[in-house]
Amino acid sequence: KEYKQALGEMSKMAEDRYKQQQKLEEMALERLKETKVAALELERQALDDSEKLGVISMNKRLSRLKEIKELEYQIELQAAKDIAAIYDLDEVAYQQHLDKAARLKEKHATETAKIDGQMAIESMKTTQKQTADTAKVQADAAAESKKNLDSWLDPIGNAFQKLMDGVIQGTQTWRDAIRKALLAIGSDYLAAGVKWLTEHIKMEILKTQATTAGVAARSA
């Protein structure tokens, strides 16, 4: 009787020791998983800061976040499988950890879909902005072209307007009107050319003065 009692106590001690060992192994695996996940969390935070500072775009941040999420899922899934293997002789505990792995898969699919949606929205915003910027550049170029064209055609229009006014009012003949119109056109274009040449010379002088001042400053 005492022998049986001693065997029972020894069996109970062995069972308790085995469960303690299982728990210690589970804690070690959980700790390893947390360390790996923490490293990914640091990278995730660095990505957020880089995007806010303008170092990277939102699309690049989301793309890397998706990769990080996949790595995090693989780490957690492997940890769940390893912990389940510890309890392979305990059907209930083993199934519980397998269920945890299945829930991880469902959670990962949901979070990945969410990131994909954000990436699609950002891609659409980028495309719209590029289209708007292109349209603005084209509009500015068209306006500038019209301005340049007007500056070249205005002298002709002004001269012939005076020509028509003079002929209609009877103050001059067609021959005199055309001669004066051509002289007016030439005068306007000459004035425009002189103005451009003056501005060009002025800019060249300023450049030379800036260069001379720079050389003098360096020499000093």
Side-chain angles (χ1 to χ4, degrees), residues 21-37:
Q21 192 65 33
Q22 286 179 312
K23 192 63 180 177
L24 289 172
E25 291 180 17
E26 179 182 352
M27 291 171 63
L29 289 172
E30 284 285 353
R31 181 57 185 162
L32 179 61
K33 180 196 75 173
E34 291 172 358
T35 300
K36 293 179 179 179
V37 171

Side-chain angles (χ1 to χ4, degrees), residues 159-160 163 175-189:
F160 276 95
L163 178 153
R175 176 181 295 179
D176 291 338
I178 292 175
R179 183 175 60 81
K180 290 180 179 180
L182 293 176
L183 288 173
I185 293 172
S187 176
D188 286 345
Y189 278 125

Side-chain angles (χ1 to χ4, degrees), residues 129-159:
K129 185 177 183 302
Q130 289 175 345
T131 302
D133 291 344
T134 301
K136 185 178 183 302
V137 170
Q138 291 174 345
D140 291 343
E144 186 64 23
S145 296
K146 183 179 182 303
K147 181 180 177 182
N148 293 334
L149 186 59
D150 289 343
S151 67
W152 282 103
L153 294 181
D154 281 348
I156 299 176
N158 293 335

Side-chain angles (χ1 to χ4, degrees), residues 69-85:
K69 182 59 64 176
E70 178 63 29
L71 292 172
E72 188 177 35
Y73 166 67
Q74 293 298 333
I75 291 171
E76 292 182 345
L77 181 63
Q78 188 61 50
K81 290 180 178 179
D82 291 342
I83 292 173

